[in-house]
Amino acid sequence: MSLEQSAVIFAAQETNINARSVLSVLNLLITEQSTVPFVARYRKEVTGGMDEVQIRAIHESYDNYIEREKRRVYILDAIKKMELLTPDLEKKIKMADTINQLEDLYAPFKAKKKSKGMLAQEAGLLPLAEVILKSPKNKQQLKDEFGDQFNKPELKINNFDEAYAGAFDILIEMMAHDAETKEILRKDYWSEAVVKSTKREKAELEDKDWMKYKDYFEFSQRACELKDPKAGHRFLAMRRGMTSKTLKVEIEFPEEGALGLLKKRFFDNASLGCFSDLEMAAKKAYLNYIHPSLDLELKSELKKVSDETAINVFGINLKNLLLQPYLGPKAVIGVDPGVRTGCKIVIVDNTGKFLADCVIYPHEPRMQVKESATILDAIIDQFNVEHIAIGSGTYGRETLTFIQQNVKKVKEGKVNATLISEAGASVYSASDIAREEFPDKDPTVRGSISIARRFQDPLAELVKIDPKSIGVGQYQHDVNQARLKKSLEGVVESCVNFVGVDLNTASAPLLAYVSGIGPTLAQNVIKYREVNGGFKNRKEILKVPRFSAKIYEQAAGFLRIYNGEEPLDGTFIHPERYEVLSNWARKNATQLKELISNKDLIMKLEKDSDFKTEVGEFTFNDIVKSLKAPSQDPRTEFKSFEYRKDISKIRDLKIGEWYPGLVTNITQFGAFVDIGIKENGLLHVSQISDTFVENAMTALKVGQEVKVQVLEIDYDRGRISLTAKKGEQVNRSSAPSSGASRNNQTASSAAVSKHMSAPVEAKLKNNAFAGLKNLKV
């Protein structure tokens, strides 16, 4: 069986998808170099309608198999070059199913310098070691029998005692590196081992935030339970505490069980003459080799599983954030709140074009409330503004209150003012992309522009920011960075291609995520557009330098041209299907332009079974869907949301009161909810519904509106416990808690830090009204 065939079978078993379908997908991805979004949308007839998740899983399983086989070949070659590859060892290496098993077999051979056991074998002490394992004679009796037979001064073996010690070096390493023993113990560790964390003695000196790990100062849980995705956040919290030198994290396993296994496998005979020395050797093999190895392996595996869970959660939250409701083409005022240095104001038109900026000072110490309101009134009138987007960081809520109470058209309900997450705005403002877009603007102005634009179209603006900085993940700096980057880029790519982009207005960062394009080609598209004006049809993009026919195949269906020469260019229908649709139109005495706008013609095509057979069922359904809804943007339009106006800080909250809120972040153990103050509350999974909810991610999503009741408040750590249960009874007269959260929330709460957006730091203008005179298009 070839490597490729074996890889297909492996991927089919891993994903539980039939081998023929797996082969079809791998041919598209590897042989034809197609992208996942293209395969998922335009090759459904080949894949049987697989979604992107299934396609990516197949590709990942294939890559894992290839990685394992490359390691197997390397190990075989390395041991062969050492001239130590026996037929039995070769067979074991070829039969190994996992990377861990391969590494166990390779472990005795990969030391950079020779071990004591190897040197002892070279000295010819293996026969003595074998005798010790079988003989009823003790050390003295063996010494009497062999005398100076094993003495080899040239190899630093000068007497029997040294030979005896060398023989035990061989036995210790024999027990320590026995692959079968290691595999048995590996399984036992996963079923019985306990992960224990304790506070280090000098934690206070090593980490100023050491108290945030106090729930793990005396914590233990079985490794198999921590391997559960719902508990992954706990291990990441412990690991962060270990990295900061606050916690000591150890794997505990019953020593007697491990030693019992070694005795059974190597010297299960109490009448052996050297039995007590063999017991000591087994203990050294376990404590010096086996336990440290499995300790590291379990921690690495728990880290890997926890990483995978955290990355998956991050990806789901990011997808929901990118696909959240959008405002669309309307003029917006963007506000980056500030106190002493003022609020930075920008105006963008209905296309997102930056028009002007200024600074107002409605808060202390200047308190220019009337003057600031006058400026905003003038801006609204001059630029026909319908919405004001306010960054939700420090003083965001106070700025919203000022606008609601003092700006005329906002008070009248003609202009909507709302808080917008500013997570990542400061990252964007200092990025190369921002400097290229606005080279002569202060970073604070760039941040305000980002706030305004992300309100108009979250997807188009947030693609410019490193996904890690958007604020919907947990422990994003602790997980495997390469896997995180790959996963999040896949999510962004998926979202961009799911929505599609306007070829004539899309920015370079947005175009870069379109199937097959990438950053360099995106810049080429922008340069061509700047020189030649807008694209009139999809085919014109082939004139862009380095835009090949293959890239066109991958990208064209996701690029929209509205009101262009080709009516189908504004839909998700791929150009490869234009001809068959043109033929259908001719047969039915009509034109493509009519087909898109005429419901009766679409209904006629929908009933055409011959056409359905010709293009295939999946493609047929997609064509009909595209004709019925040409723009086909899956996102919903923005609806305004209001927090309760009687709260602005944690001390304003009342236990037992209900508050409207927005979900800002989700983990499997619960959701973080913004109820209008700096601190987000935790809605534990057990408090989401009156009915049982196993995973918070199946019940809620980022951006969702919820109504929650305050259960407990921990002022010391700024933590708020919430419930959405209608049947939950809370004693309103209860004194607010200043200690830990409820028992059923303690472990989960311990894994998270305060969740809030950092304020955008900035250098601001001195004159609040300096920008007003520049308010011109």
Side-chain angles (χ1 to χ4, degrees):
M1 185 182 295
S2 68
L3 178 64
E4 290 76 11
Q5 290 174 320
S6 300
V8 169
I9 293 172
F10 177 82
Q13 292 171 341
E14 288 286 298
T15 58
N16 200 27
I17 298 172
N18 72 74
R20 181 171 295 180
S21 297
V22 168
L23 179 61
S24 298
V25 168
L26 291 174
N27 278 334
L28 287 166
L29 295 176
I30 298 170
T31 307
E32 298 184 21
Q33 294 293 295
S34 296
T35 67
V36 172
F38 174 79
V39 172
R41 187 179 286 271
Y42 296 114
R43 290 297 179 262
K44 292 179 180 178
E45 307 304 328
V46 179
T47 68
M50 285 187 204
D51 60 27
E52 289 191 25
V53 175
Q54 293 171 300
I55 294 168
R56 292 185 193 279
I58 288 172
H59 201 181
E60 185 174 354
S61 295
Y62 173 84
D63 287 344
N64 289 341
Y65 180 85
I66 297 300
E67 180 185 351
R68 186 188 73 184
E69 294 312 301
K70 284 181 179 177
R71 186 61 177 165
R72 192 193 308 275
V73 170
Y74 173 84
I75 289 172
L76 282 168
D77 185 57
I79 300 176
K80 190 178 293 183
K81 286 179 179 177
M82 297 176 193
E83 299 182 355
L84 297 173
L85 185 64
T86 63
D88 182 56
L89 178 59
E90 183 176 10
K91 181 180 178 181
K92 289 178 179 178
I93 292 172
K94 288 182 177 180
M95 293 292 290
D97 292 325
T98 67
I99 289 284
N100 282 334
Q101 290 174 358
L102 284 171
E103 297 302 337
D104 287 344
L105 292 166
Y106 185 44
F109 305 95
K110 63 181 180 182
K112 291 183 179 179
K113 62 180 182 179
K114 291 180 180 179
S115 65
K116 289 182 178 180
M118 289 179 180
L119 293 172
Q121 286 204 50
E122 288 182 359
L125 299 178
L126 180 59
L128 177 59
E130 291 173 342
V131 168
I132 290 171
L133 277 178
K134 300 174 183 177
S135 175
K137 298 179 180 180
N138 60 30
K139 180 182 175 181
Q140 184 59 49
Q141 291 170 328
L142 291 173
K143 183 176 181 179
D144 294 340
E145 179 179 346
F146 292 107
D148 58 359
Q149 181 177 331
F150 292 102
N151 292 0
K152 297 185 178 180
E154 71 278 9
L155 296 175
K156 298 182 180 179
I157 307 294
N158 299 302
N159 52 57
F160 184 80
D161 288 341
E162 291 179 359
Y164 188 78
F168 269 91
D169 289 333
I170 294 173
L171 292 173
I172 290 169
E173 292 182 18
M174 182 188 297
M175 288 185 265
H177 298 307
D178 182 69
E180 292 182 20
T181 302
K182 190 90 169 284
E183 184 63 22
I184 293 170
L185 282 174
R186 177 178 289 117
K187 293 176 181 177
D188 290 344
Y189 262 63
W190 278 117
S191 63
E192 299 174 34
V194 170
V195 181
K196 182 179 180 181
S197 71
T198 53
K199 174 180 167 292
R200 288 184 178 274
E201 287 185 10
K202 297 182 180 180
E204 302 92 323
L205 303 177
E206 299 288 351
D207 184 3
K208 63 180 181 180
D209 295 324
W210 64 280
M211 273 301 293
K212 66 184 179 183
Y213 301 108
K214 73 175 185 179
D215 292 322
Y216 293 100
F217 287 173
E218 291 185 15
F219 178 88
S220 64
Q221 188 168 8
R222 291 171 69 190
C224 59
E225 294 172 354
L226 281 174
K227 200 174 182 182
D228 188 313
K230 292 193 290 294
H233 62 279
R234 294 176 194 157
F235 185 74
L236 287 177
M238 284 188 277
R239 194 174 184 279
R240 177 181 283 185
M242 182 171 63
T243 303
S244 69
K245 297 183 179 179
T246 300
L247 300 177
K248 182 179 181 181
V249 180
E250 300 171 293
I251 303 293
E252 294 187 344
F253 182 81
E255 183 179 312
E256 61 275 12
L259 296 180
L261 176 65
L262 288 171
K263 291 177 188 177
K264 183 177 179 181
R265 288 187 57 79
F266 292 97
F267 54 98
D268 193 15
N269 186 350
S271 63
L272 292 174
C274 302
F275 190 80
S276 60
D277 288 341
L278 285 168
E279 284 187 311
M280 185 59 68
K283 191 168 185 176
K284 287 183 178 180
Y286 174 68
L287 294 177
N288 296 345
Y289 294 91
I290 297 174
H291 178 73
S293 174
L294 289 176
D295 177 290
L296 179 61
E297 187 178 308
L298 257 69
K299 287 176 182 174
S300 298
E301 184 65 22
L302 286 172
K303 171 72 164 53
K304 182 180 177 181
V305 172
S306 301
D307 279 4
E308 198 67 36
T309 300
I311 290 170
N312 288 341
V313 169
F314 201 146
I316 293 170
N317 288 341
L318 178 62
K319 179 179 179 180
N320 289 330
L321 179 68
L322 294 177
L323 298 180
Q324 68 184 335
Y326 68 109
L327 179 65
K330 295 178 182 177
V332 173
I333 292 174
V335 183
D336 181 4
V339 188
R340 181 182 57 81
T341 50
C343 298
K344 283 65 66 183
I345 308 296
V346 301
I347 307 97
V348 297
D349 69 9
N350 59 357
T351 67
K353 179 182 177 182
F354 167 70
L355 301 177
D357 67 276
C358 67
V359 182
I360 61 175
Y361 296 86
H363 308 303
E364 295 179 348
R366 299 197 187 186
M367 290 300 293
Q368 295 173 349
V369 176
K370 186 176 180 180
E371 296 91 333
S372 299
T374 299
I375 292 175
L376 290 176
D377 285 331
I379 293 172
I380 290 169
D381 290 337
Q382 182 171 344
F383 296 101
N384 297 315
V385 171
E386 298 178 55
H387 292 269
I388 302 174
I390 305 158
S392 61
T394 302
Y395 253 69
R397 183 57 195 269
E398 290 82 352
T399 303
L400 173 63
T401 301
F402 149 71
I403 290 173
Q404 290 174 332
Q405 294 177 353
N406 296 280
V407 177
K408 182 180 177 183
K409 288 192 175 179
V410 176
K411 290 194 294 182
E412 294 173 350
K414 296 177 182 178
V415 172
N416 173 264
T418 189
L419 290 175
I420 294 295
S421 171
E422 64 179 28
S426 59
V427 174
Y428 163 78
S429 67
S431 68
D432 292 339
I433 294 173
R435 283 192 291 270
E436 186 177 332
E437 284 191 289
F438 308 105
D440 59 339
K441 291 299 176 184
D442 187 273
T444 58
V445 175
R446 298 173 192 156
S448 300
I449 294 170
S450 178
I451 290 170
R453 283 179 169 178
R454 70 175 64 184
F455 186 42
Q456 290 178 316
D457 189 338
L459 178 61
E461 189 62 22
L462 292 175
V463 294
K464 301 175 185 177
I465 303 170
D466 181 351
K468 286 193 302 183
S469 303
I470 295 177
V472 291
Q474 192 181 21
Y475 299 109
Q476 55 262 44
H477 300 294
D478 300 324
V479 300
N480 183 293
Q481 295 301 294
R483 290 185 65 83
L484 177 65
K485 185 174 186 292
K486 181 180 178 181
S487 174
L488 297 186
E489 285 180 349
V491 170
V492 178
E493 178 190 46
S494 176
C495 291
V496 169
N497 291 284
F498 182 55
V499 173
V501 304
D502 186 333
L503 183 55
N504 285 322
T505 62
S507 66
L510 187 61
L511 282 168
Y513 280 105
V514 172
S515 169
I517 292 185
T520 302
L521 206 50
Q523 289 292 345
N524 291 352
V525 171
I526 297 297
K527 290 175 183 176
Y528 181 92
R529 201 169 67 191
E530 289 172 349
V531 173
N532 299 281
F535 291 89
K536 300 177 183 65
N537 56 66
R538 278 172 169 166
K539 267 196 169 180
E540 188 182 348
I541 202 170
L542 285 166
K543 296 179 181 178
V544 172
R546 298 179 64 185
F547 212 104
S548 66
K550 180 63 179 179
I551 294 173
Y552 178 74
E553 175 197 59
Q554 300 295 305
F558 304 104
L559 300 171
R560 310 289 187 80
I561 299 175
Y562 299 107
N563 303 316
E565 296 173 344
E566 170 56 66
L568 294 179
D569 282 354
T571 72
F572 261 122
I573 298 173
H574 198 281
E576 65 188 7
R577 300 297 179 183
Y578 286 4
E579 185 176 352
V580 69
L581 277 167
S582 296
N583 292 338
W584 187 91
R586 281 195 296 271
K587 288 178 183 178
N588 289 272
T590 187
Q591 297 179 341
L592 283 178
K593 189 175 182 180
E594 291 296 319
L595 178 60
I596 288 177
S597 57
N598 191 312
K599 292 182 180 180
D600 292 334
L601 282 173
I602 296 173
M603 189 177 296
K604 185 176 181 180
L605 182 141
E606 193 173 6
K607 294 178 180 178
D608 192 331
S609 57
D610 291 337
F611 181 76
K612 183 176 182 178
T613 301
E614 181 181 0
V615 299
E617 182 178 357
F618 291 108
T619 303
F620 174 80
N621 291 336
D622 284 346
I623 288 174
V624 171
K625 185 178 178 181
S626 292
L627 292 173
K628 286 182 176 180
S631 65
Q632 208 175 341
D633 193 319
R635 299 173 295 176
T636 56
E637 292 187 6
F638 171 79
K639 294 180 181 178
S640 61
F641 175 83
E642 288 191 6
Y643 298 102
R644 271 183 48 166
K645 297 180 180 180
D646 59 338
I647 59 170
S648 60
K649 54 186 180 297
I650 192 170
R651 293 283 175 179
D652 294 334
L653 298 179
K654 296 179 181 178
I655 291 178
E657 286 284 311
W658 288 85
Y659 299 89
L662 291 173
V663 176
T664 59
N665 204 349
I666 305 182
T667 68
Q668 291 189 328
F669 64 78
F672 293 96
V673 180
D674 179 3
I675 54 177
I677 61 174
K678 183 173 70 172
E679 297 85 0
N680 281 197
L682 174 62
L683 180 60
H684 190 264
V685 66
S686 64
Q687 298 295 332
I688 289 175
S689 172
D690 289 309
T691 58
F692 176 72
V693 175
E694 183 176 5
N695 185 343
M697 306 200 74
T698 62
L700 299 169
K701 65 180 181 179
V702 169
Q704 183 174 334
E705 296 180 17
V706 292
K707 192 171 183 181
V708 291
Q709 185 183 33
V710 174
L711 280 178
E712 292 186 5
I713 304 172
D714 182 344
Y715 293 117
D716 295 338
R717 293 193 284 178
R719 292 181 178 178
I720 306 160
S721 297
L722 305 172
T723 182
K725 288 184 174 182
K726 298 298 183 292
E728 189 74 21
Q729 297 295 318
V730 181
N731 185 354
R732 295 171 186 258
S733 63
S734 299
S737 168
S738 61
S741 188
R742 290 187 165 208
N743 289 336
N744 65 348
Q745 299 182 32
T746 299
S748 298
S749 299
V752 295
S753 302
K754 295 178 186 176
H755 187 72
M756 58 183 179
S757 301
V760 180
E761 296 180 358
K763 180 181 174 183
L764 305 171
K765 300 177 181 177
N766 293 321
N767 187 347
F769 309 108
L772 187 57
K773 60 186 177 184
N774 299 320
L775 293 177
K776 294 180 182 179
V777 180

